[in-house]
Amino acid sequence: MSSKSQASDPHSKPLALKPGGAALVLSFFGVAMSAYLTYVHLRLHQDIGYQSGCSISAKVSCDAVALSDYGTLLGLPVALWGLWFYLVVGTIAALGLQGSGRFPRSTSVWLSLAGIFAAGLSVVLGAISAFAIGAVCPVCLGLYAVNFLLLGAGLWAQKASGEGLGTALSHELAAMKRVPGLAVVFAGLPLLILAGVAYAYPKGFTPVKGDLCAIAQSTGGKVTLEVYSDFQCPHCKMADKVFRSLRSSKSLTIVHHQYPLDQECNPLIDRPFHLGACLQALSAVCAGKQGRYDQMSDAIFDGDLRGLPALREAAQQSGLDLNAFDECLRSPSVREGMLAEIKKGVERQITGTPTAYIGDRRYEGGFEWPAFSCFDDGK
């Protein structure tokens, strides 16, 4: 057979049962894990007290990844894009196992390309998680494993077809030209699935909006918000980004209260949880004694600083007198003052952070920018 006739080989290549079945099973696991991560994303953005089952620590946490700037893409959770991807892969595998028609000529080609894409994306997302976010999502690691196994299943299927990937891809492109109508339908299938997923997502799942702006209108345009926070809480870190942009606001005053979820100083915590959060909180309080609360708070949140050496270094870089800082950390009266603040939070029955109050009323709104945008004096 000449090279020209090979390039337009009309014979379909059925998907081998074992690799095709493996790809179908892997896509099922991908759908399940992506659906769970999508649920976590939704709950995190709706319920400030929610913590997922895969949030083990500050460094091993699905929540930290979902709440980061990299948790969404084009307005949709990254996990939802993953759900769409695995639905498409599962559909392709199912079509291939049922028997190939004129197009796609060989579903193994598309499974191989999907596997290559997914494995490459796993490397990129893993690097972002490790170096940009500074936290690892356990379920995401499971998806990375699925992606590399999917790559193996696709290449296995391609090998079973008896064709090299390059040759098979050239035959596939030729098949697209022979049956353009079927090719368009096949190409439109992922877009149709994506449209359905994107359409279903926003219903009932928009981030909670607060009523702060309405409260401001009824109080002469000024609001004082008391916020109980924990430096190791992903929600608090997300809220802190909003608070930073409003420090110069003349209509919103934010009063920070320490509420570390650490059994060392919080009587409500009966097991090891946010270890070292009490020391972080005390460090911020001591920085505040020298008028450097914001600088120390920023350093702790941004660097996820743990332990006395890292906190002392941050204090020095924030312009604090280290001798006074160390003396403050050892001061029984300062510690008792912070414990009284925590006790007040316990009396208010605070079980999660951030929790905020306006006077004696608990603020039930969200901590995302739309709830606070009316306090931006630069608007």
Side-chain angles (χ1 to χ4, degrees):
M1 182 180 293
S2 67
S3 59
K4 181 178 180 180
S5 61
Q6 285 181 344
S8 58
D9 182 4
H11 301 294
S12 63
K13 294 289 184 179
L15 181 62
L17 180 60
K18 289 184 179 180
L24 187 60
V25 171
L26 288 169
S27 67
F28 171 79
F29 281 108
V31 166
M33 285 188 278
S34 296
Y36 172 71
L37 289 176
T38 301
Y39 169 77
V40 167
H41 186 100
L42 295 173
R43 285 294 306 275
L44 287 171
H45 286 79
Q46 284 190 301
D47 182 359
I48 62 173
Y50 175 74
Q51 180 170 307
S52 73
C54 60
S55 182
I56 301 171
S57 68
K59 295 291 186 181
V60 183
S61 172
C62 298
D63 299 5
V65 174
L67 289 170
S68 73
D69 294 337
Y70 301 93
T72 58
L73 176 64
L74 299 179
L76 295 176
V78 170
L80 196 66
W81 287 97
L83 178 62
W84 162 73
F85 173 78
Y86 294 113
L87 284 172
V88 170
V89 170
T91 301
I92 292 174
L95 290 174
L97 290 172
Q98 288 181 354
S100 299
R102 289 181 293 171
F103 189 85
R105 172 186 171 275
S106 173
T107 51
S108 61
V109 173
W110 300 103
L111 291 178
S112 296
L113 293 177
I116 292 170
F117 169 78
L121 185 62
S122 296
V123 174
V124 173
L125 293 179
I128 290 175
S129 181
F131 300 110
I133 301 175
V136 176
C137 163
V139 179
C140 299
L141 293 178
L143 285 173
Y144 301 159
V146 166
N147 291 341
F148 279 98
L149 290 172
L150 187 62
L151 171 61
L155 296 179
W156 180 17
Q158 192 60 57
K159 183 177 180 180
S161 72
E163 292 182 319
L165 182 58
T167 301
L169 184 57
S170 66
H171 292 335
E172 200 73 12
L173 294 175
M176 292 175 67
K177 295 179 181 179
R178 287 196 302 271
V179 283
L182 289 176
V184 169
V185 171
F186 181 77
L189 179 63
L191 297 177
L192 182 63
I193 294 176
L194 176 60
V197 169
Y199 176 78
Y201 172 77
K203 295 182 177 179
F205 299 130
T206 52
V208 176
K209 303 295 191 299
D211 57 355
L212 278 177
C213 296
I215 293 174
Q217 291 178 354
S218 65
T219 58
K222 294 186 178 182
V223 170
T224 297
L225 191 69
E226 296 183 65
V227 181
Y228 289 81
S229 183
D230 176 335
F231 283 108
Q232 295 182 30
C233 157
H235 291 283
C236 300
K237 187 173 184 177
M238 178 180 70
D240 181 68
K241 293 180 180 179
V242 175
F243 296 155
R244 289 188 199 187
S245 64
L246 296 172
R247 283 174 181 166
S248 61
S249 175
K250 297 179 181 179
S251 53
L252 177 67
T253 300
I254 298 173
V255 179
H256 295 280
H257 294 297
Q258 305 305 317
Y259 198 75
L261 301 178
D262 182 357
Q263 64 180 156
E264 181 187 339
C265 61
N266 192 323
L268 280 186
I269 309 301
D270 58 2
R271 60 184 176 84
F273 190 45
H274 286 177
L275 299 178
C278 291
L279 179 58
Q280 290 173 314
L282 190 60
S283 297
V285 170
C286 288
K289 298 291 184 181
Q290 299 187 41
R292 292 287 189 274
Y293 179 88
D294 289 343
Q295 292 86 341
M296 192 66 177
S297 173
D298 292 352
I300 297 174
F301 270 125
D302 292 344
D304 189 29
L305 302 181
R306 312 285 179 94
L308 185 57
L311 292 168
R312 290 186 80 251
E313 182 179 353
Q316 186 174 33
Q317 293 177 352
S318 298
L320 274 70
D321 180 327
L322 273 185
N323 291 329
F325 178 75
D326 291 338
E327 184 178 346
C328 178
L329 290 180
R330 294 190 296 266
S331 170
S333 62
V334 174
R335 184 176 179 84
E336 288 172 5
M338 190 184 78
L339 292 177
E341 197 170 68
I342 294 172
K343 183 180 178 181
K344 178 66 173 179
V346 172
E347 292 173 353
R348 285 178 154 178
Q349 299 182 337
I350 294 174
T351 57
T353 53
T355 296
Y357 282 83
I358 302 171
D360 292 328
R361 296 187 337 183
R362 185 181 294 221
Y363 167 61
E364 300 291 351
F367 288 89
E368 296 183 338
W369 178 252
F372 292 82
S373 59
C374 61
F375 296 103
D376 183 4
D377 295 335
K379 284 180 59 178

